[in-house]
Amino acid sequence: MTIDERFARIEHVTAGLAEERRQDREELRGLWRDTQRQLDQLTGRVDAIATHLDSFILESAARDRETDRRFRETDARIDKMISAMGEFLRALPSQPLP
C-alpha cells in the first residue's frame, strides 16, 4: 500500500468518524429537545395539580369549619333538650313506686 493510499484510507476513516460524530450530535440534540419538551409538559401538569390541590385544601377547610359549626349547634341543642328534660322531671310530683 502506498503512502497516498494510506492517506486516502485515513481520510476515509476520518470522514466516517466525523460523520458518525455529527449524527450522534444531531441525535443527542434531538433527545435533549425531546427531554426539554417532556419536562415542560411535566412542569405544566405539576402546576395544574398544585393549583387543584390548593383549591381542594381551601374547600376542605371551609367544609371543616361548617361541620364544626353544625356540631357545636347540635351539641348546644342537645344540652338544652337534656336540661329541659331534667327540669321537667324535677317539676313532676314525686310518687313512690308501687
Side-chain angles (χ1 to χ4, degrees), residues 42-60:
L42 182 60
T43 300
R45 290 177 67 193
V46 168
D47 286 345
I49 290 170
T51 301
H52 180 70
L53 186 59
D54 287 346
S55 64
F56 178 75
I57 289 170
L58 293 174
E59 290 170 8
S60 290

Side-chain angles (χ1 to χ4, degrees), residues 22-38:
R22 186 189 65 75
Q23 288 175 354
D24 287 347
R25 221 175 8 256
E26 286 178 14
E27 182 182 346
L28 290 175
R29 284 182 183 159
L31 289 172
W32 183 83
R33 282 190 293 270
D34 188 45
T35 300
Q36 286 303 115
R37 182 184 51 76
Q38 289 176 358

